[in-house]
Amino acid sequence: MSEATPQDQAAAWIEIVSFAICEQAFCLDIGHVLEIRGWTTTTTLPHAPDYVIGMMNLRGNVLPVVDLSMCLGLGKTVPESRHVIIIACINEKTVGFLVDAVSNILTVNAADMQSTPDVSSERTAAFIKGVYMVEDTIVRAIDVHQILQQQEEVSAA
């Protein structure tokens, strides 16, 4: 029987950023997060899908800001000063995700991710890649690649 090497053990732990949307807990891998910013007004993009709030200037780079609540079917967010934008890099594209608040940065064992319960919804299965139990809270892990893919499909239409 082989024992796990120190590299295997280190690979088993990942850091996640947990955040709230509509008082529900979600997270994404911190490897995608570039920074976390307070809400700033965005510039509207004509004919953009409903979940794209607009675009913002991040030190000379213009990037889209996506309402994660809309993407996840939880309703439209009316941005206020208390909201937060998580700047993430996915497949070399930078995007801002509007969320209600960032809760914590946690280190979790990748093996502790549980499958998303089968709710017969392809959209749920596509956007939520699994769940973690953090104390008594169920934290849903967002598949940011699917969110970005949705954005690209709408852009191509």
Side-chain angles (χ1 to χ4, degrees):
M1 174 182 238
S2 66
E3 293 186 27
T5 66
Q7 291 82 11
D8 292 338
Q9 292 173 350
W13 295 94
I14 61 170
E15 288 187 303
I16 58 173
V17 175
S18 66
F19 51 91
I21 300 173
C22 298
E23 300 181 12
Q24 302 290 310
F26 295 91
C27 70
L28 58 91
D29 188 320
I30 200 168
H32 295 294
V33 178
L34 299 176
E35 65 182 86
I36 298 166
R37 301 176 57 96
W39 167 250
T40 57
T41 304
T42 59
T43 301
T44 302
L45 280 167
H47 304 291
D50 290 347
Y51 58 86
V52 176
I53 295 171
M55 55 188 167
M56 66 181 287
N57 180 353
L58 181 67
R59 293 181 292 280
N61 295 316
V62 177
L63 57 111
V65 178
V66 173
D67 182 353
L68 266 185
S69 180
M70 282 284 289
C71 286
L72 298 172
L74 299 174
K76 185 174 181 139
T77 302
V78 178
E80 300 175 1
S81 60
R82 66 178 177 83
H83 287 98
V84 175
I85 299 173
I86 299 173
I87 309 295
C89 183
I90 304 142
N91 298 336
E92 300 181 15
K93 294 182 179 179
T94 306
V95 62
F97 294 125
L98 177 68
V99 301
D100 292 347
V102 170
S103 308
N104 213 340
I105 296 173
L106 304 166
T107 301
V108 295
N109 189 327
D112 290 342
M113 180 188 282
Q114 299 177 31
S115 300
T116 305
D118 183 9
V119 293
S120 300
S121 168
E122 291 181 21
R123 288 185 65 102
T124 299
F127 292 140
I128 306 298
K129 64 181 181 180
V131 297
Y132 291 104
M133 287 300 302
V134 178
E135 298 176 358
D136 292 334
T137 302
I138 297 173
V139 179
R140 286 149 283 189
I142 296 206
D143 188 339
V144 289
H145 295 95
Q146 292 297 322
I147 301 279
L148 195 61
Q149 182 177 354
Q150 177 191 14
Q151 184 181 7
E152 290 172 350
E153 287 173 359
V154 170
S155 298

